[in-house]
Amino acid sequence: MLHIINKSPLGNNSLDACLRVAASGDILLIEDAVYAATKGNAMEGKVREAMSRLKIHILLPDLEARGLADRIIEGVAKVDYGGFVDLVAANKNCQSWL
Amino acid sequence: MASIEVSGKSYETDEEGYLINLADWNTDVANFIAQQESLNMTDNHWEVVNFLREYYEEYQIAPAVRVLTKAIGKKFGPDKGNSQYLYELFPYGPGKQACKIAGLPKPTGCI
Amino acid sequence: MNEVKKFLFVNRKAPYGTIYALESLEVVLITAAFDQDVSLAFLDDGVYQLKKGQQTKGIETKNFSPTYRALDGYDVEKLYVEKESLDARGLTEEDLLVDVTVLGSREMGALMDEQDVVLSF
């Protein structure tokens, strides 16, 4: 399934909760959640660890808007809005971690 | 805001005639609303109305008709726990009409 | 509607502070009328929704916690609570006002995976 997160991992536990629960599937980080996919943030270790069992994607326009496109963790997949739609369509179901 | 006048006292209702304040309810108000609905309140009517008030007291919602029917059946037996019986008592729907007389909001989960 | 689908309502917010918990409960009650396979999951602060002994008089807000006990009558019988969320809040099953099934995190994840529709609150 697809998990969508839109909150910064440093101000909200949504990413933490998602990583705790999800054993496999896709995670898409959008809006403020894109900070989780940047090098040097406090969640980097957890994100890297999760990448062995989950495919992590970020919505690139949201990362670019925040001035951090050059700091993306290697192995995180960049998607545009079309890629967002493809992810939703490719998955059976979807959970938005509000 | 609409209102009804019972025994010289005014009670707030919504546009459809449901009481705004649960605490406003009393048997005079119930009888008045029933009269407006052209219903003559019998013991069987009161049984349902009182049941609805107890249900609301316990769960804080007015039950959907399906749920009410089942619960009435559980408490008063299958002769009463069926829609034919309840619709005979409340032709415009036991949920809508009985809840209005019981001073409750419209049922949640009613379609 | 001839095909029964599996619906999961995921509740992750505490009651009263935001409207999510109440909105979720109302949608659940409405969904129950459509004869679908409905489950509820409570994790993170969502477990606080089921805490016994809520008294809302002082905040002049409706106490909707008794309504969770009405779900059984609506044939909504599958309530799941994540153990890690209870633990993190010093709560146990005995603190909850309805019977629930307690699941570990990954069991909760597996439950989500098998749904046709997941609705988040």
Side-chain angles (χ1 to χ4, degrees):
Chain A
M1 76 183 290
L2 173 64
H3 298 270
I4 300 176
I5 299 163
N6 76 338
K7 300 290 193 307
S8 165
L10 305 176
N12 182 289
N13 78 336
S14 290
L15 179 61
D16 238 346
C18 173
L19 295 181
R20 197 171 70 226
V21 165
S24 62
D26 292 299
I27 294 184
L28 174 61
L29 306 171
I30 63 170
E31 301 167 18
D32 286 348
V34 298
Y35 292 120
T38 59
K39 285 180 207 158
N41 93 86
M43 284 291 282
E44 180 179 356
K46 278 195 177 178
V47 169
R48 283 189 186 275
E49 188 232 338
M51 284 168 67
S52 61
R53 57 190 165 88
L54 294 150
K55 178 78 186 159
I56 300 190
H57 313 256
I58 57 118
L59 188 61
L60 189 58
D62 280 332
L63 193 62
E64 286 173 340
R66 288 161 178 78
L68 288 160
D70 58 344
R71 243 176 262 186
I72 185 169
I73 296 170
E74 307 85 21
V76 171
K78 303 169 193 166
V79 297
D80 55 14
Y81 292 104
F84 188 160
V85 175
D86 291 340
L87 272 175
V88 173
N91 278 277
K92 180 195 173 203
N93 61 11
C94 166
Q95 150 76 352
S96 292
W97 295 79
L98 300 173
Chain B
M1 188 68 72
S3 66
I4 51 172
E5 189 95 11
V6 184
S7 318
K9 213 174 158 238
S10 181
Y11 300 91
E12 271 185 344
T13 68
D14 68 12
E15 320 78 61
E16 293 176 82
Y18 290 82
L19 283 186
I20 298 293
N21 302 309
L22 234 67
D24 278 351
W25 188 87
N26 57 50
T27 52
D28 288 346
V29 171
N31 276 317
F32 181 87
I33 298 171
Q35 219 167 42
Q36 282 188 320
E37 301 276 323
S38 311
L39 282 180
N40 185 25
M41 291 293 283
T42 66
D43 286 350
N44 286 336
H45 289 91
W46 281 114
E47 194 171 69
V48 175
V49 165
N50 288 327
F51 181 86
L52 275 171
R53 290 195 60 85
E54 283 162 24
Y55 186 98
Y56 192 92
E57 179 65 32
E58 184 166 357
Y59 299 120
Q60 299 297 305
I61 47 165
V65 181
R66 179 174 64 86
V67 177
L68 172 70
T69 309
K70 207 168 69 176
I72 290 266
K74 216 167 153 185
K75 182 156 184 189
F76 301 111
D79 289 354
K80 296 183 173 177
N82 64 76
S83 12
Q84 198 196 336
Y85 171 79
L86 292 170
Y87 273 89
E88 272 167 21
L89 290 177
F90 301 99
Y92 286 95
K96 267 174 73 180
Q97 220 168 16
C99 283
K100 194 187 276 190
I101 296 165
L104 306 181
K106 244 177 302 177
T108 310
C110 201
I111 50 166
Chain C
M1 207 161 4
N2 42 25
E3 188 194 350
V4 174
K5 288 194 171 181
K6 289 172 80 75
F7 282 74
L8 178 70
F9 290 82
V10 178
N11 298 283
R12 295 184 53 244
K13 310 280 187 206
Y16 313 118
T18 62
I19 196 74
Y20 287 98
L22 178 58
E23 290 285 316
S24 172
L25 187 53
E26 291 192 342
V27 178
V28 168
L29 291 170
I30 291 161
T31 307
F34 291 92
D35 286 328
Q36 299 295 301
D37 180 352
V38 175
S39 303
L40 272 59
F42 297 86
L43 48 161
D44 299 309
D45 282 349
V47 301
Y48 286 132
Q49 295 175 25
L50 302 180
K51 176 69 180 67
K52 275 180 192 163
Q54 296 175 36
Q55 300 285 347
T56 60
K57 239 194 185 99
I59 59 169
E60 293 182 17
T61 301
K62 177 170 165 154
N63 178 5
F64 54 87
S65 67
T67 307
Y68 293 102
R69 287 191 285 103
L71 289 173
D72 192 47
Y74 279 74
D75 297 321
V76 175
E77 290 149 352
K78 291 184 279 187
L79 275 57
Y80 301 95
V81 174
E82 191 208 18
K83 183 176 185 303
E84 285 73 1
S85 298
L86 287 176
D87 290 349
R89 287 158 184 81
L91 299 176
T92 68
E93 224 178 315
E94 283 69 52
D95 290 309
L96 308 182
L97 48 78
V98 279
D99 288 337
V100 301
T101 303
V102 177
L103 299 178
S105 298
R106 291 301 165 81
E107 292 174 294
M108 187 60 93
L111 178 74
M112 284 183 189
D113 278 343
E114 69 187 37
Q115 303 299 317
D116 293 305
V117 181
V118 181
L119 294 150
S120 309
F121 290 90

